[in-house]
Amino acid sequence: MCGIVGYIGAKNATPIVLNGLKRLEYRGYDSAGLAVLTNGHIEVRRDAGKLERLAALVEADPVKGKIGIGHTRWATHGEPSARNAHPHLSTDSDFVVVHNGIVENFLDLKEELTAEGAVFRSDTDTETIVHLVERYYSLEHDMTLAARRALKALKGAHGVVLMSSHEPDKIIAARIGNAGGVVIGYGDGEMFVASDIPAILEHTRRVSFLESGQMAVIRRTGVEVFTLDGQPVEPQIHTVAWDPIAAEKGEYRHFMQKEIHEQVRSLTDTLAGRVDLDEGRVRLPTLNLDEKTARKIQKIVITACGTASHAGMVGKVLIEHIARIPTELDIASEFRYRDPLVDENTVVLAISQSGETADTLAAMEEARKKGAVLWSIVNAIGSQAMRLASGCISMQCGPEIGVASTKAFTAPLVDLYLLAVLLGDLRGTLDEARRRKLVADLALVPDLAGRCLDRESEVAEVARSLKNTRDALYLGRGINMPIAYEGALKLKEISYIHAEAYPAGEMKHGPIALVDRNMPVISIAPLDPWYEKMISQVEQVKARGGVVVAVATEGDARVEGLADHIFWVPETPWLLSPVVTVIPLQMFAYHIAALRGLDVDQPRNLAKSVTVE
Ligand code: F6R
């Protein structure tokens, strides 16, 4: 949560910082601000609300300089107001900070610093950091040493970027714990720092990442990285393959719509190099999995949050069915507080788009302490969830900017299928014919997804007729039960319509009482092994006057005779059916929210990377 950008070089920092923040606004949009070093002093512009307000402020009162930092905020301590917006200045306005995380000991620090004469101008925990740096600078007369001492005094997890008018040749950045990433970008005579790659992608693709407990001193010509104890560390430079255009909206109205449509490409890329159709085999070299390890696994625990956890629910069905390994889905925020039963024969598999979700990382840490084998399926290159794991499957999605996850849901569904086939192959639970069939089916996926997307106008039509509904119920069974959860989550998070999901078989145990003629019941009923059961559920809903919106297989006359509205999907091998059944539900939520005039890409109260607990 919170986006951070910094620039040092020969150009004007202001537009570079503003543009970087624009790419990061999905990380928080309660307020935005920037600070630029100009003529030997620090100028700050900041305001509550979205970035456009900051841009207007800068246009009305321009500021120029060759070193600058900026921030877009998702409020934790202190209401979202201009005075609480970052950057925050020290008492003498010689130091300035932007920050992602929570200073857990801020009340004690604030008391101490106030007693020493520091003047606090905001209600934030962040401001303590800059006063600490000022305090230690007066003792050390060296910004790097002062920053190090200040950082060591903080409790909690942090991403921090600082600069000072005393030492105008540098920006200091640090990462402590799992409050989100800090990425450093290498330009030609200029350097960048940010909390996420898209912020700097238009300037450079050469990046390195700070590990927890590391601090970087960034100058125009390069970077020095140290541990918080001052030990030098050699940064590893990676080249990011993402295309900067991938972080643009292009012809689409919203990133979410663009990302829904990018699924044909992301699914194609997910298969590329991993599926050998001639041999009928799957290859996942980055998982570092051999036959011996595969045979040793007694249990797999998938851990994740939100949409990623819904992918994990599908993963349970896939891995148990294909590889016959007992598999559980454990919500990451619950896992770590339950003293979970995992050991060295357990694989804990984290799924995360951002790779920075605090709860997911904490679950991974807990699993590591207990000796489990750690794997991850992650989109953000270089993120902590990627680095913590001994094996990783990289989602081939490119940047996902819309807060509601779409392409980073379908890609891991296919990754989990690939994993299940690989495990089944290595453990000998698949005979050759079955393995070849499972692999051959994969090749159909991008085209099947494309056929769902071709029906967008039909989905939009249904959205038009239901856009004023107050509630919705989503039902599914078996492998498509998680799709009910995912469909309901998409609707509630961007349209603010109350939506509930249930395993359809549970209806008779209570929720059916909700059904009346005002309740749309979205029933996911493709031709899969649970089809007959779903049909009888749909009949029960119809018998009670409910409005049925069915997700059904093209040509299904039975569903056609029952449902009020239908989202048709092409016939798909059932183990892959969630990839297609979710697409109309993504489009449905998108169109309802767009028709209601809501901010689809930046829904209220949400942020893309949830780096606080
Ligand atoms: C919903 C959504 C969230 C995320 C969740 C986990 O559309 O995007 O529910 O799935 O916050 O995020 P990651 O995958 O980054 O760990």
Side-chain angles (χ1 to χ4, degrees):
M1 328 194 91
C2 300
I4 292 177
V5 187
Y7 171 79
I8 181 163
K11 298 181 192 139
N12 181 8
T14 306
I16 294 175
V17 170
L18 271 176
N19 267 336
L21 290 179
K22 200 161 161 226
R23 308 268 180 262
L24 291 185
E25 211 187 1
Y26 60 88
R27 293 181 70 106
Y29 27 87
D30 288 333
S31 64
L34 59 79
V36 172
L37 204 57
T38 178
N39 302 324
H41 74 279
I42 297 167
E43 284 274 340
V44 171
R45 303 282 182 272
R46 54 185 193 171
D47 204 351
K50 294 201 167 191
L51 194 60
E52 59 214 30
R53 296 195 36 186
L54 173 66
L57 202 68
V58 171
E59 203 179 317
D61 188 7
V63 57
K64 251 179 140 178
K66 294 184 172 144
I67 157 167
I69 61 178
H71 188 266
T72 148
R73 178 168 186 244
W74 190 85
T76 55
H77 289 62
E79 55 163 8
S81 61
R83 72 190 289 271
N84 288 333
H86 299 209
H88 292 288
L89 285 162
S90 60
T91 307
D92 292 338
S93 301
D94 294 345
F95 300 88
V96 68
V97 69
V98 291
H99 170 230
N100 185 9
I102 296 173
V103 181
E104 287 170 5
N105 52 337
F106 97 101
L107 284 175
D108 292 343
L109 290 173
K110 189 170 177 176
E111 211 175 287
E112 257 177 48
L113 289 158
T114 308
E116 288 170 17
V119 179
F120 277 78
R121 302 181 185 103
S122 77
D123 311 316
T124 65
D125 53 327
T126 297
E127 203 184 330
T128 52
I129 303 175
V130 78
H131 292 300
L132 277 173
V133 177
E134 189 170 55
R135 172 212 267 178
Y136 289 121
Y137 189 83
S138 70
L139 303 172
E140 301 279 1
H141 308 291
D142 179 287
M143 168 83 167
T144 309
L145 296 180
R148 184 175 299 149
R149 285 185 69 176
L151 291 164
K152 284 174 94 163
L154 304 178
K155 290 209 174 115
H158 313 278
V160 179
V161 174
L162 286 156
M163 62 180 195
S164 167
S165 53
H166 292 294
E167 297 186 19
D169 64 331
K170 60 178 73 84
I171 290 177
I172 291 192
R175 174 177 186 152
I176 302 172
N178 294 326
V182 177
V183 52
I184 294 165
Y186 298 71
D188 191 7
E190 57 185 2
M191 294 287 290
F192 308 83
V193 59
S195 41
D196 213 347
I197 295 172
I200 55 178
L201 209 52
E202 65 178 294
H203 306 288
T204 180
R205 293 203 200 177
R206 297 179 63 234
V207 299
S208 66
F209 302 93
L210 289 189
E211 298 284 348
S212 174
Q214 290 182 350
M215 174 178 147
V217 180
I218 307 166
R219 297 187 173 80
R220 269 184 66 172
T221 46
V223 62
E224 287 174 287
V225 179
F226 304 95
T227 64
L228 287 189
D229 295 324
Q231 295 303 313
V233 178
E234 195 53 47
Q236 266 190 18
I237 302 181
H238 307 261
T239 302
V240 180
W242 289 353
D243 178 350
I245 302 296
E248 304 281 348
K249 242 183 289 191
E251 79 216 57
Y252 293 95
R253 246 180 98 194
H254 297 101
F255 277 111
M256 182 181 178
Q257 192 184 25
K258 176 181 179 241
E259 287 158 3
I260 289 172
H261 281 269
E262 279 173 350
Q263 290 177 109
V264 176
R265 190 199 51 72
S266 64
L267 293 168
T268 308
D269 292 351
T270 298
L271 301 179
R274 292 168 170 174
V275 171
D276 182 338
L277 290 173
D278 294 335
E279 291 277 314
R281 286 220 139 89
V282 163
R283 307 198 196 287
L284 295 170
T286 53
L287 201 59
N288 304 316
L289 178 64
D290 56 24
E291 192 179 319
K292 190 165 158 242
T293 319
R295 286 185 183 275
K296 222 182 99 191
I297 301 167
Q298 285 177 2
K299 178 168 87 167
I300 295 182
V301 177
I302 302 177
T303 190
C305 302
T307 284
S309 74
H310 301 152
M313 288 161 83
V314 177
K316 169 183 164 66
V317 181
L318 290 171
I319 296 171
E320 290 196 336
H321 186 81
I322 298 173
R324 310 303 295 159
I325 303 174
T327 303
E328 298 307 328
L329 179 271
D330 218 321
I331 300 290
S333 53
E334 295 293 327
F335 178 83
R336 65 167 141 158
Y337 293 117
R338 222 190 42 242
D339 192 12
L341 289 172
V342 300
D343 59 21
E344 63 280 6
N345 296 322
T346 311
V347 169
V348 172
L349 167 60
I351 306 176
S352 177
Q353 187 288 127
S354 63
E356 300 290 354
T357 299
D359 287 323
T360 307
L361 295 179
M364 291 178 82
E365 297 283 6
E366 179 68 20
R368 184 164 61 178
K369 272 191 233 145
K370 289 180 176 285
V373 178
L374 276 187
W375 292 347
S376 61
I377 299 180
V378 179
N379 192 35
I381 300 155
S383 60
Q384 192 72 352
M386 195 172 253
R387 285 177 289 154
L388 276 176
S390 61
C392 180
I393 306 176
S394 159
M395 294 182 205
Q396 300 297 308
C397 293
E400 190 180 64
I401 310 289
V403 164
S405 195
T406 51
K407 60 179 178 171
F409 177 70
T410 47
L413 294 183
V414 173
D415 290 327
L416 287 158
Y417 182 104
L418 290 167
L419 175 63
V421 174
L422 179 65
L423 285 166
D425 188 8
L426 292 172
R427 289 165 67 97
T429 53
L430 290 176
D431 63 37
E432 183 174 349
R434 179 130 189 274
R435 195 192 72 225
R436 283 185 174 278
K437 166 80 173 84
L438 288 170
V439 172
D441 285 348
L442 275 165
L444 309 170
V445 168
D447 181 53
L448 294 170
R451 284 170 56 191
C452 297
L453 294 169
D454 290 344
R455 291 184 175 271
E456 182 168 13
S457 58
E458 295 166 23
V459 176
E461 201 49 51
V462 181
R464 249 185 294 282
S465 66
L466 293 176
K467 70 174 196 296
N468 294 323
T469 186
R470 288 186 46 199
D471 308 279
L473 202 52
Y474 284 69
L475 305 179
R477 284 195 86 145
I479 199 163
N480 277 294
M481 186 264 281
I483 301 308
Y485 283 87
E486 178 57 9
L489 176 58
K490 288 295 88 110
L491 188 68
K492 55 190 148 189
E493 70 180 326
I494 59 169
S495 71
Y496 317 145
I497 292 171
H498 167 240
E500 283 199 54
Y502 269 97
E506 279 291 291
M507 282 297 280
K508 54 189 175 291
H509 301 293
I512 198 154
L514 289 169
V515 173
D516 63 15
R517 77 171 72 90
N518 298 318
M519 175 66 88
V521 181
I522 292 86
S523 308
I524 303 151
L527 289 175
D528 66 12
W530 296 269
Y531 173 76
E532 290 296 339
K533 303 282 169 215
M534 272 309 293
I535 293 290
S536 62
Q537 243 87 58
V538 171
E539 283 182 355
Q540 287 168 23
V541 169
K542 275 313 294 175
R544 284 154 186 86
V547 178
V548 171
V549 182
V551 179
T553 304
E554 284 165 356
D556 184 337
R558 276 175 81 189
V559 175
E560 195 164 21
L562 273 175
D564 300 271
H565 307 279
I566 304 194
F567 299 146
W568 293 115
V569 294
E571 189 166 355
T572 302
W574 72 267
L575 288 163
L576 289 162
S577 62
V579 181
V580 298
T581 53
V582 77
I583 292 177
L585 302 183
Q586 296 171 340
M587 297 194 290
F588 179 60
Y590 168 75
H591 281 286
I592 289 210
L595 287 164
R596 288 162 75 110
L598 297 170
D599 193 341
V600 173
D601 285 332
Q602 293 171 356
R604 69 185 181 204
N605 307 340
L606 295 177
K608 185 77 180 158
S609 305
V610 185
T611 54
V612 293
E613 194 182 333

